[in-house]
Amino acid sequence: MKLSQQSLSIIEAAIQKAVAKYTCNCEQTAVTDIHLQPDQTSGQLTVYNDDDEELANIMVEEWTTHDSDDFLEIVEPSLRNILCRMKDAGDFDKVTILKPYSFVLVDEDKETVAELLLVDDDTILVNDELLKGLDKELDDFLKELLEK
């Protein structure tokens, strides 16, 4: 599902509002992850922490018109792209959550569907797209080594 620029901006603003609750000029003290819970029926995106404290809530009109059983799998790439852009722009640099912390996509039962972004100084979370073909490359490399 391709979201309009307006919807992408609304989602980004909600995430900024959520992380703003953990932004100050003090040392990192909060221990939590940020959960994103989209609802296809109502179009709501609720952002909350590990204690189920609501940090932001917005309406994404386009989600209500989408009729599919794989809704979460369809919105996952859009949410991941927004978060990656925000991280690259430095939006999470002053967040006082202890690293590593994650932005997690959850379903209506608050069960984790996917880890959208891992924020850590030393760790990079790779996705399936990056790993495609890695097995073949490693097999070819090993075969070449063994033949020499």
Side-chain angles (χ1 to χ4, degrees):
M1 164 190 324
K2 181 109 170 106
L3 292 174
S4 68
Q5 189 58 42
Q6 179 183 5
S7 293
L8 294 172
S9 296
I10 290 170
I11 294 169
E12 186 172 334
I15 295 169
Q16 286 173 337
K17 178 182 176 187
V19 297
K21 297 184 182 201
Y22 296 105
T23 305
C24 69
N25 291 329
C26 53
E27 63 182 74
Q28 296 178 332
T29 56
V31 178
T32 191
D33 286 327
I34 306 295
H35 303 267
L36 285 78
Q37 183 181 38
D39 184 339
Q40 180 177 6
T41 308
S42 68
Q44 294 289 315
L45 173 65
T46 306
V47 182
Y48 61 93
N49 62 18
D50 285 339
D51 297 324
D52 290 337
E53 176 187 350
E54 186 175 299
L55 305 173
N57 189 330
I58 51 114
M59 172 78 155
V60 180
E61 292 284 336
E62 293 173 66
W63 288 350
T64 61
T65 60
H66 184 74
D67 187 27
S68 174
D69 291 336
D70 57 351
F71 172 71
L72 291 176
E73 290 79 20
I74 290 173
V75 299
E76 179 184 338
S78 297
L79 294 173
R80 180 174 278 121
N81 289 339
I82 291 168
L83 289 164
C84 287
R85 262 196 333 268
M86 292 176 73
K87 182 177 189 283
D88 292 343
D91 290 353
F92 308 133
D93 291 348
K94 296 192 189 237
V95 173
T96 59
I97 300 173
L98 287 172
K99 293 179 182 175
Y101 66 92
S102 298
F103 288 88
V104 182
L105 177 65
V106 297
D107 62 15
E108 64 274 357
D109 299 323
K110 297 186 178 179
E111 295 293 324
T112 299
V113 174
E115 188 168 35
L116 299 171
L117 177 70
L118 174 68
V119 180
D120 191 2
D121 294 331
D122 300 324
T123 306
I124 297 174
L125 184 67
V126 294
N127 60 20
D128 294 338
E129 198 63 36
L130 184 62
L131 297 176
K132 280 186 182 172
L134 183 62
D135 284 342
K136 184 177 179 337
E137 287 180 34
L138 289 174
D139 289 344
D140 292 346
F141 176 73
L142 182 60
K143 182 178 175 185
E144 185 180 321
L145 281 178
L146 293 174
E147 289 175 353
K148 289 186 178 183

